[in-house]
Amino acid sequence: LKNRSVLFAHFTTFFFLAGHFTLYGFLTPFSTTLLGFEGFMITMMYLLYGIAAVTGGGIGGFSSDRYGAERTIITTTILLSGVLLLIPYTTKFLPLFFIALLIWGVLSWVITPPVQSFLIQVAPETSDIQQSLNNAALHFGIAFGTLIGSLIIERFSVEQNATFGSIIVLLSLLSIFLAIHHQRETTVKKRVLKNR
């Protein structure tokens, strides 16, 4: 964790999942309050979301191999932040909400494969440890996002969870930019030392 690229990569995962779970952790009260969902519709919502999320992991791996880990992380983070911001505005038109839900589901789990690839690139000598630490960062993010979500509901309303989640995801974007910047600085320094 002394390697700042590694540290910020873990923060990328942390903030990404925290922002996601600020809303996802309270999706049932969100859907009952804003959409009037009950039993069957709530079940269908989670089923569709789950299918989309499983698909997201595969897309994340494919995109990371095809377009690179950095580009995949940046694109996914921007898109997730945008979708979270828009979700409350889709609740007036049910088909639009379900389209947003599917996109959100896919995006929410695209992040894991590219972050793991990025960690292998920047710290190959400790890549096995980094995968475990990243999994821990993921779960800390889930816990933190759920905590923030509960505070938002208590002080504002469940409708605001999506907006706050979107803002937290932007911290993930800042984290990956810092990780990439530090990695490039390190690479330049190594080249300079090698050429001396």
Side-chain angles (χ1 to χ4, degrees), residues 75-109:
T75 304
T76 303
T77 306
I78 292 169
L79 290 174
L80 180 66
S81 181
V83 168
L84 284 173
L85 200 59
L86 291 174
I87 281 177
Y89 301 101
T90 67
T91 56
K92 304 293 183 206
F93 186 57
L94 201 56
L96 194 58
F97 170 76
F98 276 109
I99 290 167
L101 179 82
L102 291 172
I103 295 169
W104 174 30
V106 169
L107 291 171
S108 63
W109 293 104

Short mmCIF file of all heavy atoms in Angstrom, two decimals, residues 75-109:
data_model
loop_
_atom_site.label_atom_id
_atom_site.label_comp_id
_atom_site.label_asym_id
_atom_site.label_seq_id
_atom_site.Cartn_x
_atom_site.Cartn_y
_atom_site.Cartn_z
N THR A 75 -14.33 4.93 -18.18
CA THR A 75 -15.61 4.96 -18.88
C THR A 75 -16.74 4.45 -18.00
O THR A 75 -17.82 5.06 -17.90
CB THR A 75 -15.54 4.12 -20.18
OG1 THR A 75 -14.46 4.60 -20.98
CG2 THR A 75 -16.83 4.19 -20.96
N THR A 76 -16.50 3.32 -17.34
CA THR A 76 -17.52 2.72 -16.48
C THR A 76 -17.90 3.65 -15.34
O THR A 76 -19.08 3.79 -15.00
CB THR A 76 -17.02 1.38 -15.91
OG1 THR A 76 -16.67 0.51 -16.99
CG2 THR A 76 -18.06 0.71 -15.04
N THR A 77 -16.91 4.28 -14.74
CA THR A 77 -17.15 5.17 -13.61
C THR A 77 -17.98 6.38 -14.02
O THR A 77 -18.94 6.75 -13.33
CB THR A 77 -15.82 5.62 -12.98
OG1 THR A 77 -15.04 4.45 -12.67
CG2 THR A 77 -16.03 6.41 -11.71
N ILE A 78 -17.65 6.97 -15.15
CA ILE A 78 -18.43 8.12 -15.65
C ILE A 78 -19.86 7.70 -15.93
O ILE A 78 -20.82 8.38 -15.55
CB ILE A 78 -17.76 8.72 -16.90
CG1 ILE A 78 -16.43 9.38 -16.54
CG2 ILE A 78 -18.69 9.73 -17.59
CD1 ILE A 78 -15.57 9.76 -17.73
N LEU A 79 -20.02 6.57 -16.61
CA LEU A 79 -21.37 6.09 -16.96
C LEU A 79 -22.20 5.76 -15.72
O LEU A 79 -23.39 6.10 -15.65
CB LEU A 79 -21.27 4.87 -17.88
CG LEU A 79 -20.77 5.13 -19.30
CD1 LEU A 79 -20.58 3.82 -20.05
CD2 LEU A 79 -21.72 6.05 -20.06
N LEU A 80 -21.57 5.10 -14.73
CA LEU A 80 -22.31 4.75 -13.51
C LEU A 80 -22.77 6.00 -12.78
O LEU A 80 -23.91 6.09 -12.33
CB LEU A 80 -21.48 3.87 -12.58
CG LEU A 80 -22.20 3.48 -11.29
CD1 LEU A 80 -23.40 2.56 -11.58
CD2 LEU A 80 -21.27 2.81 -10.30
N SER A 81 -21.89 6.99 -12.68
CA SER A 81 -22.25 8.23 -12.01
C SER A 81 -23.44 8.89 -12.72
O SER A 81 -24.39 9.35 -12.07
CB SER A 81 -21.05 9.19 -12.00
OG SER A 81 -21.39 10.39 -11.34
N GLY A 82 -23.41 8.89 -14.05
CA GLY A 82 -24.50 9.48 -14.82
C GLY A 82 -25.81 8.74 -14.66
O GLY A 82 -26.87 9.36 -14.49
N VAL A 83 -25.76 7.41 -14.69
CA VAL A 83 -26.98 6.60 -14.56
C VAL A 83 -27.60 6.80 -13.17
O VAL A 83 -28.82 6.96 -13.05
CB VAL A 83 -26.69 5.10 -14.83
CG1 VAL A 83 -27.86 4.23 -14.40
CG2 VAL A 83 -26.38 4.88 -16.29
N LEU A 84 -26.76 6.80 -12.13
CA LEU A 84 -27.29 7.01 -10.77
C LEU A 84 -27.99 8.36 -10.67
O LEU A 84 -29.04 8.49 -10.03
CB LEU A 84 -26.17 6.90 -9.74
CG LEU A 84 -25.68 5.50 -9.41
CD1 LEU A 84 -24.45 5.56 -8.49
CD2 LEU A 84 -26.77 4.66 -8.76
N LEU A 85 -27.39 9.35 -11.29
CA LEU A 85 -27.96 10.71 -11.25
C LEU A 85 -29.32 10.76 -11.95
O LEU A 85 -30.23 11.47 -11.50
CB LEU A 85 -26.99 11.68 -11.93
CG LEU A 85 -27.13 13.16 -11.63
CD1 LEU A 85 -26.97 13.44 -10.15
CD2 LEU A 85 -26.12 13.96 -12.44
N LEU A 86 -29.48 9.97 -13.01
CA LEU A 86 -30.71 9.99 -13.80
C LEU A 86 -31.83 9.11 -13.25
O LEU A 86 -33.00 9.34 -13.55
CB LEU A 86 -30.41 9.56 -15.24
CG LEU A 86 -29.56 10.53 -16.07
CD1 LEU A 86 -29.20 9.91 -17.40
CD2 LEU A 86 -30.30 11.86 -16.27
N ILE A 87 -31.49 8.08 -12.47
CA ILE A 87 -32.50 7.10 -12.03
C ILE A 87 -33.74 7.74 -11.38
O ILE A 87 -34.86 7.36 -11.73
CB ILE A 87 -31.86 6.02 -11.13
CG1 ILE A 87 -31.14 5.00 -12.03
CG2 ILE A 87 -32.90 5.32 -10.27
CD1 ILE A 87 -30.40 3.92 -11.29
N PRO A 88 -33.62 8.70 -10.48
CA PRO A 88 -34.84 9.27 -9.89
C PRO A 88 -35.78 9.90 -10.92
O PRO A 88 -36.99 9.94 -10.72
CB PRO A 88 -34.31 10.34 -8.92
CG PRO A 88 -32.93 9.90 -8.60
CD PRO A 88 -32.42 9.26 -9.85
N TYR A 89 -35.22 10.37 -12.04
CA TYR A 89 -36.04 11.02 -13.07
C TYR A 89 -36.72 10.01 -13.99
O TYR A 89 -37.54 10.39 -14.81
CB TYR A 89 -35.17 11.98 -13.89
CG TYR A 89 -34.52 13.04 -13.04
CD1 TYR A 89 -33.19 12.93 -12.65
CD2 TYR A 89 -35.25 14.15 -12.60
CE1 TYR A 89 -32.60 13.89 -11.85
CE2 TYR A 89 -34.67 15.12 -11.80
CZ TYR A 89 -33.34 14.98 -11.43
OH TYR A 89 -32.77 15.94 -10.63
N THR A 90 -36.37 8.73 -13.86
CA THR A 90 -36.98 7.70 -14.70
C THR A 90 -38.20 7.06 -14.05
O THR A 90 -38.90 6.28 -14.68
CB THR A 90 -35.96 6.58 -15.03
OG1 THR A 90 -35.64 5.86 -13.83
CG2 THR A 90 -34.70 7.15 -15.66
N THR A 91 -38.45 7.39 -12.80
CA THR A 91 -39.51 6.70 -12.04
C THR A 91 -40.92 7.08 -12.50
O THR A 91 -41.88 6.41 -12.14
CB THR A 91 -39.37 6.98 -10.53
OG1 THR A 91 -39.39 8.40 -10.31
CG2 THR A 91 -38.09 6.38 -9.98
N LYS A 92 -41.05 8.13 -13.30
CA LYS A 92 -42.37 8.52 -13.80
C LYS A 92 -42.79 7.67 -14.99
O LYS A 92 -43.97 7.66 -15.37
CB LYS A 92 -42.36 10.00 -14.22
CG LYS A 92 -41.94 10.97 -13.13
CD LYS A 92 -42.94 11.03 -12.02
CE LYS A 92 -42.51 12.07 -10.98
NZ LYS A 92 -43.03 11.78 -9.66
N PHE A 93 -41.84 6.98 -15.62
CA PHE A 93 -42.12 6.17 -16.80
C PHE A 93 -41.45 4.81 -16.62
O PHE A 93 -40.24 4.69 -16.74
CB PHE A 93 -41.60 6.89 -18.05
CG PHE A 93 -41.97 6.21 -19.34
CD1 PHE A 93 -43.30 5.97 -19.66
CD2 PHE A 93 -40.98 5.82 -20.22
CE1 PHE A 93 -43.63 5.35 -20.86
CE2 PHE A 93 -41.30 5.19 -21.43
CZ PHE A 93 -42.63 4.97 -21.75
N LEU A 94 -42.25 3.80 -16.27
CA LEU A 94 -41.75 2.50 -15.85
C LEU A 94 -40.78 1.84 -16.83
O LEU A 94 -39.72 1.36 -16.40
CB LEU A 94 -42.92 1.57 -15.55
CG LEU A 94 -42.62 0.37 -14.64
CD1 LEU A 94 -42.03 0.82 -13.31
CD2 LEU A 94 -43.88 -0.45 -14.42
N PRO A 95 -41.06 1.80 -18.15
CA PRO A 95 -40.09 1.18 -19.06
C PRO A 95 -38.72 1.85 -19.01
O PRO A 95 -37.68 1.18 -19.08
CB PRO A 95 -40.73 1.35 -20.44
CG PRO A 95 -42.19 1.46 -20.18
CD PRO A 95 -42.30 2.19 -18.86
N LEU A 96 -38.72 3.18 -18.87
CA LEU A 96 -37.45 3.91 -18.78
C LEU A 96 -36.69 3.55 -17.51
O LEU A 96 -35.47 3.39 -17.52
CB LEU A 96 -37.74 5.42 -18.82
CG LEU A 96 -36.55 6.34 -19.08
CD1 LEU A 96 -35.86 6.01 -20.40
CD2 LEU A 96 -37.02 7.80 -19.06
N PHE A 97 -37.44 3.37 -16.41
CA PHE A 97 -36.81 2.96 -15.16
C PHE A 97 -36.14 1.60 -15.31
O PHE A 97 -35.00 1.41 -14.86
CB PHE A 97 -37.82 2.91 -14.01
CG PHE A 97 -37.27 2.27 -12.76
CD1 PHE A 97 -36.40 2.96 -11.94
CD2 PHE A 97 -37.59 0.96 -12.43
CE1 PHE A 97 -35.86 2.37 -10.80
CE2 PHE A 97 -37.06 0.36 -11.30
CZ PHE A 97 -36.19 1.06 -10.47
N PHE A 98 -36.82 0.66 -15.94
CA PHE A 98 -36.24 -0.68 -16.10
C PHE A 98 -35.03 -0.68 -17.04
O PHE A 98 -34.08 -1.42 -16.81
CB PHE A 98 -37.30 -1.68 -16.56
CG PHE A 98 -38.10 -2.24 -15.43
CD1 PHE A 98 -39.43 -1.89 -15.25
CD2 PHE A 98 -37.52 -3.11 -14.51
CE1 PHE A 98 -40.16 -2.40 -14.18
CE2 PHE A 98 -38.23 -3.63 -13.44
CZ PHE A 98 -39.57 -3.27 -13.28
N ILE A 99 -35.04 0.17 -18.04
CA ILE A 99 -33.86 0.31 -18.91
C ILE A 99 -32.68 0.84 -18.09
O ILE A 99 -31.57 0.32 -18.15
CB ILE A 99 -34.16 1.24 -20.11
CG1 ILE A 99 -35.14 0.55 -21.07
CG2 ILE A 99 -32.88 1.62 -20.84
CD1 ILE A 99 -35.74 1.48 -22.11
N ALA A 100 -32.96 1.89 -17.29
CA ALA A 100 -31.91 2.46 -16.42
C ALA A 100 -31.41 1.43 -15.42
O ALA A 100 -30.22 1.33 -15.14
CB ALA A 100 -32.43 3.70 -15.71
N LEU A 101 -32.35 0.63 -14.88
CA LEU A 101 -31.99 -0.41 -13.91
C LEU A 101 -31.04 -1.44 -14.53
O LEU A 101 -30.05 -1.83 -13.90
CB LEU A 101 -33.27 -1.10 -13.41
CG LEU A 101 -33.05 -2.24 -12.40
CD1 LEU A 101 -32.87 -1.67 -11.01
CD2 LEU A 101 -34.24 -3.21 -12.43
N LEU A 102 -31.33 -1.87 -15.76
CA LEU A 102 -30.48 -2.85 -16.44
C LEU A 102 -29.10 -2.28 -16.72
O LEU A 102 -28.09 -2.96 -16.52
CB LEU A 102 -31.14 -3.31 -17.74
CG LEU A 102 -32.40 -4.17 -17.58
CD1 LEU A 102 -33.08 -4.39 -18.92
CD2 LEU A 102 -32.08 -5.50 -16.91
N ILE A 103 -29.05 -1.03 -17.19
CA ILE A 103 -27.74 -0.39 -17.45
C ILE A 103 -26.96 -0.27 -16.15
O ILE A 103 -25.76 -0.56 -16.09
CB ILE A 103 -27.94 0.98 -18.12
CG1 ILE A 103 -28.56 0.80 -19.51
CG2 ILE A 103 -26.62 1.74 -18.22
CD1 ILE A 103 -29.05 2.09 -20.14
N TRP A 104 -27.63 0.17 -15.09
CA TRP A 104 -27.01 0.28 -13.77
C TRP A 104 -26.49 -1.07 -13.31
O TRP A 104 -25.35 -1.18 -12.82
CB TRP A 104 -28.04 0.85 -12.79
CG TRP A 104 -27.63 0.92 -11.35
CD1 TRP A 104 -26.36 1.09 -10.86
CD2 TRP A 104 -28.49 0.83 -10.22
NE1 TRP A 104 -26.40 1.12 -9.48
CE2 TRP A 104 -27.68 0.96 -9.07
CE3 TRP A 104 -29.86 0.66 -10.07
CZ2 TRP A 104 -28.21 0.93 -7.77
CZ3 TRP A 104 -30.39 0.64 -8.78
CH2 TRP A 104 -29.57 0.76 -7.66
N GLY A 105 -27.30 -2.11 -13.47
CA GLY A 105 -26.88 -3.45 -13.07
C GLY A 105 -25.62 -3.90 -13.78
O GLY A 105 -24.69 -4.43 -13.16
N VAL A 106 -25.57 -3.68 -15.09
CA VAL A 106 -24.38 -4.06 -15.86
C VAL A 106 -23.16 -3.27 -15.37
O VAL A 106 -22.10 -3.84 -15.07
CB VAL A 106 -24.60 -3.82 -17.37
CG1 VAL A 106 -23.28 -3.95 -18.14
CG2 VAL A 106 -25.63 -4.80 -17.93
N LEU A 107 -23.31 -1.96 -15.28
CA LEU A 107 -22.18 -1.10 -14.91
C LEU A 107 -21.65 -1.37 -13.51
O LEU A 107 -20.45 -1.25 -13.26
CB LEU A 107 -22.60 0.37 -15.02
CG LEU A 107 -22.85 0.91 -16.42
CD1 LEU A 107 -23.46 2.30 -16.36
CD2 LEU A 107 -21.56 0.92 -17.24
N SER A 108 -22.54 -1.74 -12.60
CA SER A 108 -22.15 -1.88 -11.20
C SER A 108 -21.08 -2.95 -10.97
O SER A 108 -20.33 -2.88 -10.00
CB SER A 108 -23.37 -2.15 -10.32
OG SER A 108 -23.97 -3.38 -10.68
N TRP A 109 -21.00 -3.95 -11.86
CA TRP A 109 -20.00 -5.00 -11.67
C TRP A 109 -18.99 -5.10 -12.81
O TRP A 109 -18.22 -6.04 -12.88
CB TRP A 109 -20.69 -6.35 -11.41
CG TRP A 109 -21.40 -6.31 -10.09
CD1 TRP A 109 -22.73 -6.18 -9.89
CD2 TRP A 109 -20.79 -6.33 -8.80
NE1 TRP A 109 -23.01 -6.12 -8.54
CE2 TRP A 109 -21.83 -6.21 -7.84
CE3 TRP A 109 -19.47 -6.42 -8.34
CZ2 TRP A 109 -21.60 -6.19 -6.47
CZ3 TRP A 109 -19.24 -6.40 -6.97
CH2 TRP A 109 -20.28 -6.28 -6.05
#
